[in-house]
Amino acid sequence: MEFLIKADLKTGRMAAFDRDIPISCMVRNELNHERKSHELVYSIPDKHPIQPRPFPPGKWRITEPRERTDPYLAPFYIPSDAYQMLPVWEVENGLYKAPTDSFTRDCAYGLHYSTSRSTQGCIKILDREHLLFLADTISDLLRAGNEIYIEVNS
């Protein structure tokens, strides 16, 4: 069976398993002038310098939640197969200089809880208890052989 989670980044709401869950996807980058030029971010998996972007719109597969101890991703990170192509940035003396004409694939977009006000593109679940509910529900459904997708609108 297929289950669909719907996330609307504009309204900050996610519909998942009959719950209305508050979310955020605020990224700090050159567009909103909130990322300092020395706060470099690198694409996953190729490790090219990029400026982060919000979770890409579309329908993406959700995979098994992973336990995390890192305060930024604890207690769970729920991965997806979402990706997007982003411009590679030129870096000089450890600082962003300018975007290049090259692009790189950026992956590792998922769902997590965090005490930080921003993410590097993931969907932040604002309430830790909602994340725990999602991790349990997703794990149970995947173990039962179901497929879970997230449809993201921006």
Side-chain angles (χ1 to χ4, degrees):
M1 184 174 229
E2 181 178 305
F3 290 86
L4 183 64
I5 296 169
K6 292 188 173 192
D8 188 323
L9 302 184
K10 284 184 184 171
T11 64
R13 307 306 291 185
M14 183 167 69
F17 313 111
D18 296 326
R19 288 204 183 180
D20 177 38
I21 298 174
I23 60 172
S24 172
C25 190
M26 199 292 263
V27 297
R28 296 180 301 114
N29 57 31
E30 84 291 3
L31 299 175
N32 59 20
H33 308 288
E34 294 210 18
R35 179 161 300 282
K36 295 179 176 103
S37 62
H38 70 278
E39 296 176 326
L40 301 178
V41 175
Y42 295 89
S43 64
I44 298 172
D46 296 330
K47 297 183 169 61
H48 295 294
I50 59 167
Q51 286 279 356
R53 295 294 185 260
F55 200 109
K59 184 177 177 183
W60 308 101
R61 182 183 299 272
I62 294 290
T63 58
E64 184 65 37
R66 300 175 188 162
E67 285 191 60
R68 298 294 177 149
T69 56
D70 177 314
Y72 184 69
L73 298 174
F76 289 97
Y77 168 73
I78 303 171
S80 78
D81 65 353
Y83 72 93
Q84 60 187 317
M85 301 301 292
L86 297 177
V88 174
W89 277 67
E90 182 181 350
V91 173
E92 187 175 282
N93 298 322
L95 303 174
Y96 284 112
K97 185 173 178 185
T100 69
D101 291 333
S102 298
F103 284 80
T104 188
R105 181 181 170 113
D106 188 40
C107 303
Y109 293 90
L111 312 172
H112 62 80
Y113 169 79
S114 175
T115 55
S116 172
R117 71 180 186 88
S118 64
T119 75
Q120 291 185 14
C122 289
I123 293 174
K124 177 182 164 182
I125 308 300
L126 298 181
D127 183 322
R128 187 176 186 273
E129 296 308 311
H130 282 141
L131 178 71
L132 295 173
F133 164 78
L134 286 171
D136 286 344
T137 303
I138 289 169
S139 290
D140 290 346
L141 289 170
L142 289 173
R143 274 194 296 275
N146 297 291
E147 294 182 345
I148 303 169
Y149 294 89
I150 185 166
E151 184 177 270
V152 179
N153 295 312
S154 56

